[in-house]
Amino acid sequence: MDKQQAKELFLDTLRRTSRLRSAAALLEWDMDTIMPPKGLNVRAETAGAISGEIFRLSTADEFGRAVEILKETPAENDAKMARMLEVADRDYTRFKKIPLQEYEAYSVAAAQSSQIWKEAKANNDYDMYAPHLQKMIDFSRSFADKWGYEKHAYDALLEEYDPALLSDQIDPVFAELLAGTKEILSSVPQRQSRPEVPVAEKNQYEIGMYLLKTMGYDLQAGNLYSTEHPFTCTVHSGDVRVTTKYHENQPSSSVFSVMHEGGHGMYEQNISPDLDGSNLMDGTSMGIHESQSRFWENIVGRSLGFWQSNFNEVCRLAGKPLEQNAEEYWKSINHIQPSLIRIEADELTYNLHIIIRYELEKQILNTSISAKELPELWNAKYKEYLGVQPANNNQGIMQDSHWAGGSFGYFPSYAIGNLYAAQFAASMQKELGAVSSLVGSTNGLGSIAHWLKANVQQYGKLKTPEQILKDATGQTLNAKPFLEYMRQKVKSLY
Ligand code: ZN
């Protein structure tokens, strides 16, 4: 194979796998939205066949050889090509370590386990779910061993979501976050939250569409749907769908799901079209992805300024006042109280839910603990960190879908995203002025969206997460800006 052939093969493989990923995303979308229950078994196999094909293309010996040939002459590769090769090489090496059969078995088992988790959750039946969870744990341990790691098996899985972040780096940051959170929490007076004003689904949909437009999410390249669990589905940058779930008696839930998923969606929509069909057309890490969703959900969506300028319109769309005024509404959506369910947690205690999962994941990967033993450990940690105890496993260990799908190592990204978002906000503030004012006008929201696009989103995977953070903030991962932001916020709330 000469250099020209290597280049053609390399680019062609990336383009094909990128399109296959689009197909896989659509199948998954259908599975999570309108597929009838009897579609499951064959669909799981179909999804397995597509991921198997992606796997086969990305691990073909000739693809590996093409990467080697192109890497031999680094001077001839521009920055984009160099980074494409770096990402392809890492994926190739990682993929190559897992036998195809094991990978396919994992894909099928993960799809089944996710489905069983839904049933088990509906019946509050952990025993039904435990053997499937155990399978996911076993696969993950086997992958970690094959991928390899220096110190902790868990690091091999973290790399899947946040390349280059090791648990030894996360530990001190989370320790600071935990201590700071406890200290801030101790200054928050505990009082009951008021029930929300109910809003009909169709009005909530109108509110969701209004929020997406206000944020600058491109409705010609996406749309809003409703599903059991809110998520963002990227088919490609021109087709990025977001979903929400409507709770009639708790309309704020959809408000924040929409802003959260809309933030993810804007990241995917705003990646430079130059990267289309390459392996860089994607968020650079889960942590950075979460920083974009949380920026919109929390820093914008839970701010006073945003509601001062949008409260009246949202109430008009709701067909009724949601509170006495914008300030009261802002207070109600910032009610801080330790609770059982991660996705309903407030901005401050949310990270404690993540630290609990992070500590359990380290135990799951670094020790030989079994699925059967997990509920007890889960409950003990909730008591210790949040002072609450789940009455059943539905409100406890079965609340999340991640482990059911074999995604160990994913959770830390949520808290890391919160920390990155506050780091970005601090930098943005130096360039554009107070974020608390920017959120209060259409122009200001436009400057926020533009800053995020220019400093983070447009690059896709062209820059590493560390590079993005360093270029945009001059820092590495750090809990201080988040804690400072929360301290100020709690002071103005109480
Ligand atoms: Zn998210």
Side-chain angles (χ1 to χ4, degrees):
M1 189 179 343
D2 66 25
K3 208 168 289 169
Q4 190 50 35
Q5 287 166 325
K7 192 169 176 185
E8 275 164 27
L9 179 93
F10 177 67
L11 295 176
D12 183 59
T13 305
L14 292 189
R15 183 163 280 274
R16 272 166 185 275
T17 48
S18 152
R19 298 311 180 228
L20 284 170
R21 275 184 229 282
S22 280
L26 258 185
L27 280 186
E28 223 181 289
W29 166 264
D30 177 80
M31 196 160 143
D32 288 337
T33 52
I34 54 172
M35 186 187 76
K38 287 185 182 171
L40 176 66
N41 285 337
V42 175
R43 178 60 57 85
E45 211 180 301
T46 310
I50 293 195
S51 31
E53 186 59 15
I54 294 172
F55 185 89
R56 195 185 61 74
L57 285 168
S58 325
T59 55
D61 291 339
E62 51 176 8
F63 180 70
R65 231 176 12 252
V67 171
E68 280 311 310
I69 292 171
L70 295 168
K71 277 173 64 187
E72 275 163 16
T73 45
E76 289 171 29
N77 301 326
D78 60 12
K80 179 181 162 192
M81 189 62 166
R83 178 68 178 146
M84 282 161 75
L85 285 166
E86 186 188 1
V87 171
D89 197 20
R90 193 190 64 206
D91 291 348
Y92 177 82
T93 314
R94 246 170 115 76
F95 265 145
K96 230 12 197 187
K97 293 179 175 166
I98 311 288
L100 177 59
Q101 260 184 337
E102 184 177 354
Y103 186 74
E104 275 181 342
Y106 160 74
S107 302
V108 174
Q112 280 168 345
S113 165
S114 296
Q115 197 65 25
I116 297 288
W117 164 76
K118 277 185 207 161
E119 277 176 52
K121 197 178 167 208
N123 301 313
N124 188 26
D125 186 350
Y126 184 76
D127 292 342
M128 173 187 186
Y129 167 54
H132 293 271
L133 177 58
Q134 187 61 50
K135 260 193 207 170
M136 291 298 106
I137 292 175
D138 295 341
F139 272 116
S140 300
R141 284 177 182 158
S142 158
F143 289 173
D145 284 339
K146 289 178 174 116
W147 282 328
Y149 49 87
E150 265 180 39
K151 271 175 115 175
H152 312 291
Y154 184 49
D155 288 339
L157 291 168
L158 276 179
E159 198 186 334
E160 194 77 354
Y161 305 96
D162 255 282
L165 264 187
L166 302 171
S167 47
D168 282 355
Q169 289 165 277
I170 298 176
D171 284 346
V173 177
F174 277 10
E176 186 178 2
L177 179 60
L178 177 63
T181 300
K182 280 183 176 166
E183 173 224 307
I184 299 171
L185 194 56
S186 68
S187 72
V188 175
Q190 288 305 305
R191 49 173 94 117
Q192 283 300 312
S193 60
R194 280 203 296 265
E196 291 189 32
V197 175
V199 175
E201 260 193 54
K202 68 174 186 6
N203 298 69
Q204 289 198 40
Y205 168 76
E206 296 298 332
I207 294 170
M209 291 296 277
Y210 169 75
L211 292 169
L212 288 176
K213 271 182 233 162
T214 306
M215 293 163 63
Y217 170 91
D218 182 357
L219 282 158
Q220 294 301 309
N223 212 335
L224 174 64
Y225 304 83
S226 85
T227 50
E228 183 58 29
H229 303 279
F231 68 101
T232 300
C233 168
T234 305
V235 182
H236 54 82
S237 64
D239 183 355
V240 185
R241 306 163 188 201
V242 295
T243 78
T244 185
K245 179 170 165 72
Y246 302 113
H247 300 270
E248 199 165 324
N249 293 322
Q250 206 194 338
S252 69
S253 168
S254 170
V255 164
F256 294 110
S257 291
V258 166
M259 294 191 80
H260 181 95
E261 301 306 332
H264 280 305
M266 283 165 75
Y267 189 177
E268 297 282 342
Q269 289 178 337
N270 285 335
I271 298 176
S272 166
D274 290 351
L275 304 175
D276 178 55
S278 80
N279 56 354
L280 308 181
M281 194 72 193
D282 198 358
T284 191
S285 74
M286 285 315 302
I288 296 287
H289 228 306
E290 277 299 309
S291 75
Q292 304 304 288
S293 55
R294 272 146 208 282
F295 200 104
W296 285 102
E297 177 192 357
N298 292 330
I299 294 179
V300 177
R302 286 189 163 85
S303 69
L304 179 57
F306 181 78
W307 288 105
Q308 279 169 335
S309 68
N310 293 289
F311 182 69
N312 288 344
E313 182 58 14
V314 167
C315 291
R316 193 187 68 76
L317 295 168
K320 58 179 90 166
L322 297 175
E323 260 292 353
Q324 289 163 0
N325 54 45
E327 190 164 343
E328 287 304 311
Y329 187 65
W330 169 69
K331 284 186 180 161
S332 75
I333 54 174
N334 280 292
H335 182 75
I336 294 173
Q337 187 171 39
S339 61
L340 288 169
I341 307 293
R342 173 181 63 89
I343 58 167
E344 291 166 11
D346 59 79
E347 203 176 350
L348 179 67
T349 61
Y350 184 91
N351 296 316
L352 300 178
H353 293 259
I354 298 306
I355 292 174
I356 289 172
R357 286 157 179 76
Y358 171 71
E359 290 183 355
L360 289 174
E361 286 188 339
K362 284 200 291 183
Q363 260 179 292
I364 289 170
L365 269 300
N366 299 341
T367 75
S368 57
I369 199 165
S370 75
K372 270 196 188 134
E373 298 167 86
L374 287 173
E376 204 176 309
L377 284 171
W378 178 285
N379 296 346
K381 288 214 182 279
Y382 264 79
K383 184 123 187 80
E384 185 188 346
Y385 290 166
L386 285 149
V388 294
Q389 193 107 49
N392 53 50
N393 288 321
N394 264 1
Q395 298 180 336
I397 190 167
M398 282 204 291
Q399 63 181 274
D400 304 305
S401 62
H402 306 61
W403 292 351
S407 300
F408 297 92
Y410 189 128
F411 279 122
S413 322
Y414 293 128
I416 289 168
N418 282 330
L419 305 187
Y420 284 158
Q423 293 183 267
F424 289 139
S427 279
M428 189 185 285
Q429 188 135 317
K430 282 183 206 148
E431 286 171 45
L432 305 176
V435 172
S436 56
S437 318
L438 294 174
V439 295
S441 71
T442 312
N443 277 347
L445 292 176
S447 332
I448 289 177
H450 183 265
W451 192 96
L452 293 173
K453 181 177 178 177
N455 287 280
V456 182
Q457 298 170 350
Q458 62 161 332
Y459 295 110
K461 266 196 170 120
L462 187 58
K463 287 188 184 182
T464 63
E466 306 85 76
Q467 260 175 316
I468 295 264
L469 196 65
K470 189 162 172 285
D471 294 349
T473 72
Q475 298 171 347
T476 54
L477 176 67
N478 174 358
K480 284 182 185 71
F482 175 80
L483 290 169
E484 186 48 32
Y485 156 79
M486 276 316 306
R487 267 185 208 109
Q488 292 303 329
K489 186 158 186 176
V490 164
K491 213 189 276 172
S492 58
L493 273 165
Y494 295 99

